[in-house]
């Protein structure tokens, strides 16, 4: 295998692992993010928390730890989703 193919294969595996992790996270009743958050935050998760993939709780903790380093779009969508979840939880 060439280094380029191996790198591409590894990257595809990471994308798949992250997609599955985020999908599982979004289906959890206690901690669900919208499809928009998944789309806006995938790049940030790879950039900041790739070492935590596919461990969902560790990815989540990492994203909170690096909140100041998140892209504006990701931070905005995550904040909105969390506020919406908090509102639903208090009803």
């Amino acid at each position: 295998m060439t280094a380029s193919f191996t790198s591409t294969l590894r990257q595809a595996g990471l994308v798949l692992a992250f997609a599955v992790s985020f999908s599982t996270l979004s289906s959890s009743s206690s901690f669900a993010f919208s499809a928009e958050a998944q789309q806006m935050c995938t790049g940030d998760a790879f950039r900041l928390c790739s070492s935590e993939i596919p461990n969902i709780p560790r990815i989540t903790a990492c994203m909170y730890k690096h909140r100041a380093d998140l892209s504006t779009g990701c931070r905005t969508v995550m904040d909105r989703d969390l506020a919406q979840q908090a509102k639903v939880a208090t009803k």
Side-chain angles (χ1 to χ4, degrees), residues 7-21:
S7 176
T8 302
L9 189 59
R10 184 178 190 283
Q11 186 174 16
L14 286 173
V15 168
L16 180 60
F18 183 73
V20 169
S21 297

Side-chain angles (χ1 to χ4, degrees), residues 2 5 12 15 22-23 29-30 32 38 43 45 52-53 58 64 66 70 73 80 82 84 86 89-91:
T2 66
F5 179 73
V15 168
F22 230 73
S23 174
S29 62
S30 64
Q38 292 175 32
E52 308 304 338
I53 296 170
R58 289 178 64 182
Y64 281 117
H66 291 284
L70 296 175
R80 184 185 66 220
L82 289 170
Q84 191 172 27
T90 60
K91 286 186 178 182

Side-chain angles (χ1 to χ4, degrees), residues 24-32 85 88-89:
T24 302
L25 178 65
S26 69
S27 66
S28 165
S29 62
S30 64
F31 202 81
Q85 287 176 19
V88 169

Side-chain angles (χ1 to χ4, degrees), residues 31-52:
F31 202 81
F33 284 109
S34 66
E36 183 183 12
Q38 292 175 32
Q39 181 181 14
M40 296 297 290
C41 298
T42 298
D44 290 329
F46 275 111
R47 179 173 53 89
L48 300 168
C49 306
S50 63
S51 63
E52 308 304 338

